[in-house]
């Protein structure tokens, strides 16, 4: 059986990102999101998540700059803030720009995740698929986030077992500070394209979220 988590990063970054992630969940294939806890849209994102129980929400840890001086302390603070915002623990943990993979961060990141019994992106039985991304070599590559490209990815890259497809849907607004901007709206349109859902059905893929992972592993 092929299981697919479609996870939208940067939830809480801005109103436009929040709006895009909810639209991709409501009208598209997105099943999960990763929340920034200290950004302009974090409180709004938490409120939206409260009203959208079908959306799984994990922690999108921000460990840039000075935050990396005490990784464990900073992660524990962000996890506490997550619970304050949502009233429950995250479904999983990942990080902005995937810095948790860095050798100076990775051991501490895994240690804190283990303390809280949380899955970490690309460090569990969930296989991470990063191919759906609209830049290559720092330049926009719209073909890579087209509906045709995503359909091909679904047919060729999603394997038996658990998979996570990373994505970054959203709308551009004044609060968004990112080098990845116009690509977000293109991703959103692709994630909501009917041919993508049809490809998922034809490939026998079951859409799930991180909260389903323990049950799937137990049943298998």
């Amino acid at each position: 059986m092929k299981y697919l988590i479609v996870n939208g990063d940067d939830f809480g970054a801005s109103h436009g990102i929040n709006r895009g992630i909810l639209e991709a969940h409501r009208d598209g294939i997105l099943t999960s999101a990763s929340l920034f806890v200290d950004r302009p849209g974090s409180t709004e994102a938490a409120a939206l998540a409260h009203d959208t129980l079908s959306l799984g929400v994990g922690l999108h840890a921000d460990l840039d700059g000075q935050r990396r001086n005490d990784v464990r302390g900073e992660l524990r603070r962000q996890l506490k803030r997550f619970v304050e915002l949502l009233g429950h623990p995250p479904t999983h943990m990942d990080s902005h720009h995937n810095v948790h993979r860095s050798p100076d961060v990775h051991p501490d990141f895994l240690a804190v995740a283990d303390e809280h019994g949380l899955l970490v992106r690309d460090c569990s039985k969930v296989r991470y698929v990063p191919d759906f991304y609209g830049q290559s070599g720092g330049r926009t590559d719209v073909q890579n986030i087209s509906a045709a490209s995503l359909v091909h990815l679904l047919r060729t890259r999603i394997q038996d077992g658990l998979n996570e497809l990373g994505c970054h849907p959203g709308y551009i607004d004044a609060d968004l500070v990112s080098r990845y901007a116009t690509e977000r709206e293109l991703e959103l349109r692709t994630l909501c394209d009917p041919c993508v859902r049809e490809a998922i059905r034809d490939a026998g893929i079951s859409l799930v979220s991180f909260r389903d992972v323990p049950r799937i592993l137990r049943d298998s």
Side-chain angles (χ1 to χ4, degrees):
M1 184 69 184
K2 296 177 180 179
Y3 297 98
L4 179 62
I5 299 163
V6 183
N7 189 84
D9 286 1
D10 304 337
F11 197 32
S14 70
H15 172 72
I17 299 299
N18 295 344
R19 178 184 162 209
I21 283 177
L22 264 292
E23 184 175 327
H25 177 62
R26 184 185 66 244
D27 301 330
I29 65 169
L30 187 142
T31 61
S32 174
S34 296
L35 175 71
F36 278 127
V37 296
D38 297 316
R39 294 295 179 93
S42 296
T43 300
E44 179 195 53
L48 291 170
H50 275 298
D51 294 335
T52 314
L53 299 181
S54 55
L55 179 69
V57 183
L59 173 66
H60 198 50
D62 187 355
L63 295 173
D64 295 340
Q66 292 299 313
R67 296 170 188 256
R68 292 175 70 164
N69 290 339
D70 178 14
V71 171
R72 296 194 187 200
E74 181 59 25
L75 285 174
R76 291 176 183 129
R77 183 194 70 79
Q78 292 185 34
L79 284 165
K80 180 181 178 182
R81 178 60 178 156
F82 185 103
V83 174
E84 290 172 352
L85 286 168
L86 275 84
H88 57 77
T91 59
H92 68 286
M93 290 173 61
D94 55 46
S95 62
H96 192 39
H97 297 150
N98 286 322
V99 299
H100 67 279
R101 295 171 172 167
S102 301
D104 60 330
V105 171
H106 191 67
D108 290 327
F109 202 97
L110 291 183
V112 174
D114 187 60
E115 288 175 5
H116 292 80
L118 296 173
L119 294 167
V120 173
R121 169 179 287 167
D122 212 15
C123 301
S124 73
K125 292 186 177 180
V126 181
R127 176 175 170 270
Y128 182 52
V129 182
D131 307 58
F132 184 66
Y133 191 68
Q135 288 187 0
S136 178
R139 296 182 179 181
T140 299
D141 181 1
V142 297
Q143 179 58 37
N144 209 40
I145 50 176
S146 67
S149 180
L150 181 53
V151 167
H152 178 73
L153 185 155
L154 291 167
R155 290 172 175 168
T156 61
R157 297 280 285 120
I158 305 305
Q159 300 179 6
D160 287 341
L162 288 153
N163 304 266
E164 177 197 356
L165 178 71
C167 60
H168 302 78
Y171 288 101
I172 303 167
D173 61 18
D175 289 331
L176 178 63
V177 179
S178 175
R179 291 173 293 179
Y180 196 79
T182 57
E183 298 90 345
R184 295 177 186 270
E185 295 188 9
L186 296 172
E187 282 198 22
L188 175 58
R189 288 202 291 270
T190 293
L191 292 167
C192 295
D193 193 307
C195 75
V196 171
R197 187 172 289 278
E198 182 178 349
I200 285 174
R201 183 176 62 251
D202 291 346
I205 295 170
S206 179
L207 291 173
V208 297
S209 72
F210 277 100
R211 69 161 65 100
D212 299 309
V213 171
R215 173 187 58 80
I216 293 169
L217 292 177
R218 183 176 62 250
D219 291 348
S220 64

